[in-house]
Amino acid sequence: MCGRYALGIRAALVRQQLQEHDMPVEDAPEDDQVRQTYNFAPGNHGLVYRADVPDSGAGGRSHGSREAVGEGNQNEVDESNELEAPKETRYKLQAMKWGLVPFWTKRNPDYGSVMRTINARDDSLAQSGGMWNTMKQKKRCIVVAQGFYEWLKKNGGKEKLPHFTKRKDGQLMCFAGLWDCVQYEGFEEKHYTYTIITTDSNKQLSFLHDRMPVILENGSDALRTWLDPKRSEWSKELQSLLKPFGGELECYPVSKEVGKVGNNSPTFIVPVASTENKNNIANFFGNAKKEAIGREEKTEIQEEEAEIWKKGVKIEHDEQEPRSTVEHGGTEDNAPLPLPAQPSAAAGSKRAHETNGDDDVPRAKAVKLDNADASAGSAGSADKKSGRKGRSGTSNGTKGSPAKPGDQSQKITNFFNK
């Protein structure tokens, strides 16, 4: 996990809050370039904080030829030379799409393949080589959120209750992530995408799920180390940063309406007992004001509260989000998965690399997502023929299974080498 999170504030406010915690932002997208929603799903464009380095990543070395990149020889291309970095590192906020597409991908991948790269397991990064090899060395980032959702299974999995988790001090959450830039063959446009790194749950959230996103402390030495472009080789120090969050969190049940992709309401991040009581919502924001560190944060909370009263507490559905949602089991998270948007009957002939609206969701044929580990394609077929059980670098169907030697990302790599 994480499969759904909240970021309902403007990019300008995110920039301001980061700068207040000693996280400089030299450049940031306009507010209308980033989706503002309390129900952020894979395929949406979110805010990523990273060092301002070339598209090839830190270290200054290019990716190499696409032809040289493949499952068997990734290591040769991914090895990086640590070159002299700029004297002063600049940092920026950038709009990217959730669901990482590696730089060596030649064609717009199918929907199911992208859904498998919304998360990267910390234990898969501990292994040498594999899909994440270049990104973990040269393209590390922070994914900004207000908090994240997870679904608690009850009655043997027949019922799922959404819970929202946030920092107790009200600060933004900084998830450790990886990013990449890809340019498909025959197209000039560049696509920036990201994944969120997950680790074992801490004691506070173990009742909910056995995985959680890696959360780095805002403005901390650990965060600066993670983003440092001078560290262009993977190390034990970087790996040690990927651990359960040690700070105080708040976790509580929220409205079931958050399960439907496209639904959006500020009440989604309010405890479920308060969703029908405006006085309790006022108290909710009143407590946030008390916990805020500075005058600027209190002003932002007041603005957010005023916006809620202006719009009311009704649940809205984003008309630009045509995807439906399906329940599933056996993946990194229990969040209902968005299905690919279906083309309209009047769409006519099939077009290559067709996109869907603002979120640039590939119009691929519907894939079965009831179990994200039930692979379709060459990797799954090969595993069945050989009798060997493959393992994903982003998900694991068994609870708390230990890391195993070898390449944990082979199946995913095959998807993107098509």
Side-chain angles (χ1 to χ4, degrees):
M1 76 92 54
C2 141
R4 205 78 66 84
Y5 65 86
L7 186 63
I9 60 177
R10 295 181 292 111
L13 292 181
V14 172
R15 181 178 190 172
Q16 181 178 333
Q17 289 195 33
L18 293 182
Q19 290 176 329
E20 289 173 359
H21 291 88
D22 197 24
M23 298 171 65
V25 182
E26 302 295 336
D27 188 25
E30 298 296 329
D31 290 345
D32 59 2
Q33 293 180 292
V34 183
R35 181 178 289 270
Q36 301 165 34
T37 177
Y38 295 93
N39 189 8
F40 201 97
N44 293 161
H45 283 79
L47 273 178
V48 169
Y49 180 71
R50 68 178 180 93
D52 191 359
V53 296
D55 293 341
S56 57
R61 183 177 177 178
S62 64
H63 287 140
S65 64
R66 293 177 183 268
E67 290 75 11
V69 180
E71 178 185 338
N73 55 11
Q74 267 185 277
N75 292 343
E76 286 78 359
V77 177
D78 288 348
E79 291 175 357
S80 61
N81 291 333
E82 191 166 345
L83 303 181
E84 184 178 356
K87 293 182 179 180
E88 182 179 357
T89 303
R90 294 165 53 92
Y91 296 91
K92 67 179 182 179
L93 281 169
Q94 184 175 357
M96 295 189 187
K97 184 178 176 181
W98 188 12
L100 191 142
V101 180
F103 66 86
W104 65 79
T105 308
K106 298 179 180 180
R107 291 174 290 277
N108 196 350
D110 65 82
Y111 189 84
S113 299
V114 175
M115 291 299 297
R116 288 176 173 87
T117 57
I118 63 173
N119 291 153
R121 291 177 61 94
D122 60 336
D123 49 11
S124 70
L125 270 61
Q127 306 300 318
S128 60
M131 174 178 174
W132 309 115
N133 196 43
T134 296
M135 285 75 88
K136 72 182 183 182
Q137 295 183 83
K138 304 166 64 175
K139 301 177 182 181
R140 300 182 299 274
C141 67
I142 293 297
V143 181
V144 183
Q146 291 173 282
F148 63 93
Y149 300 97
E150 184 54 87
W151 276 253
L152 177 66
K153 288 184 177 181
K154 302 190 70 175
N155 300 326
K158 295 180 180 179
E159 184 181 8
K160 293 182 179 181
L161 300 179
H163 286 62
F164 183 70
T165 301
K166 66 170 188 171
R167 292 179 59 116
K168 192 171 183 179
D169 57 15
Q171 295 181 30
L172 291 173
M173 275 189 171
C174 292
F175 301 147
L178 305 173
W179 66 274
D180 210 342
C181 176
V182 62
Q183 185 174 0
Y184 303 128
E185 286 186 347
F187 291 82
E188 295 183 0
E189 183 181 4
K190 293 181 179 180
H191 299 270
Y192 294 87
T193 59
Y194 66 91
T195 188
I196 296 173
I197 300 173
T198 65
T199 187
D200 295 330
S201 282
N202 60 15
K203 293 182 180 180
Q204 187 176 354
L205 299 182
S206 59
F207 80 98
L208 191 59
H209 200 278
D210 61 336
R211 306 289 294 176
M212 69 178 295
V214 174
I215 304 170
L216 299 178
E217 191 66 49
N218 301 10
S220 65
D221 290 338
L223 185 144
R224 281 187 283 269
T225 297
W226 178 253
L227 295 178
D228 187 0
K230 297 178 183 178
R231 302 173 188 267
S232 58
E233 293 185 0
W234 193 245
S235 64
K236 292 182 179 179
E237 182 182 12
L238 290 172
Q239 184 70 41
S240 69
L241 301 177
L242 307 180
K243 58 186 178 182
F245 186 62
E248 292 188 87
L249 299 172
E250 284 189 16
C251 180
Y252 45 80
V254 292
S255 170
K256 290 184 178 181
E257 293 298 322
V258 73
K260 298 179 182 178
V261 174
N263 282 357
N264 186 30
S265 171
T267 61
F268 288 171
I269 65 172
V270 178
V272 68
S274 303
T275 55
E276 297 177 357
N277 189 328
K278 289 188 176 183
N279 290 328
N280 284 341
I281 291 177
N283 292 335
F284 176 80
F285 282 97
N287 292 334
K289 293 175 191 174
K290 294 178 182 178
E291 295 171 356
I293 296 177
R295 182 179 301 174
E296 294 81 2
E297 286 192 20
K298 292 182 180 180
T299 301
E300 292 160 15
I301 294 171
Q302 290 172 345
E303 291 175 353
E304 187 175 353
E305 181 183 10
E307 187 69 16
I308 289 178
W309 290 115
K310 181 180 178 181
K311 292 182 178 179
V313 293
K314 66 179 181 179
I315 297 174
E316 300 177 349
H317 188 84
D318 188 349
E319 295 180 356
Q320 295 183 347
E321 178 55 88
R323 295 177 293 174
S324 59
T325 310
V326 64
E327 295 290 345
H328 70 98
T331 66
E332 278 287 277
D333 64 278
N334 296 325
L337 288 175
L339 287 171
Q342 297 299 313
S344 62
S349 60
K350 187 176 180 181
R351 293 177 291 177
H353 306 286
E354 186 175 17
T355 59
N356 177 32
D358 179 65
D359 285 327
D360 192 25
V361 178
R363 291 186 184 272
K365 63 180 180 179
V367 293
K368 185 176 181 181
L369 295 175
D370 293 64
N371 187 338
D373 277 331
S375 300
S378 59
S381 300
D383 287 345
K384 289 180 180 178
K385 291 180 181 179
S386 64
R388 176 173 55 84
K389 185 177 180 182
R391 178 176 177 185
S392 168
T394 59
S395 64
N396 185 358
T398 59
K399 182 175 181 179
S401 60
K404 296 180 180 180
D407 182 7
Q408 301 179 356
S409 305
Q410 181 176 354
K411 289 166 62 177
I412 298 177
T413 304
N414 285 345
F415 281 118
F416 290 104
N417 280 339
K418 292 180 180 178

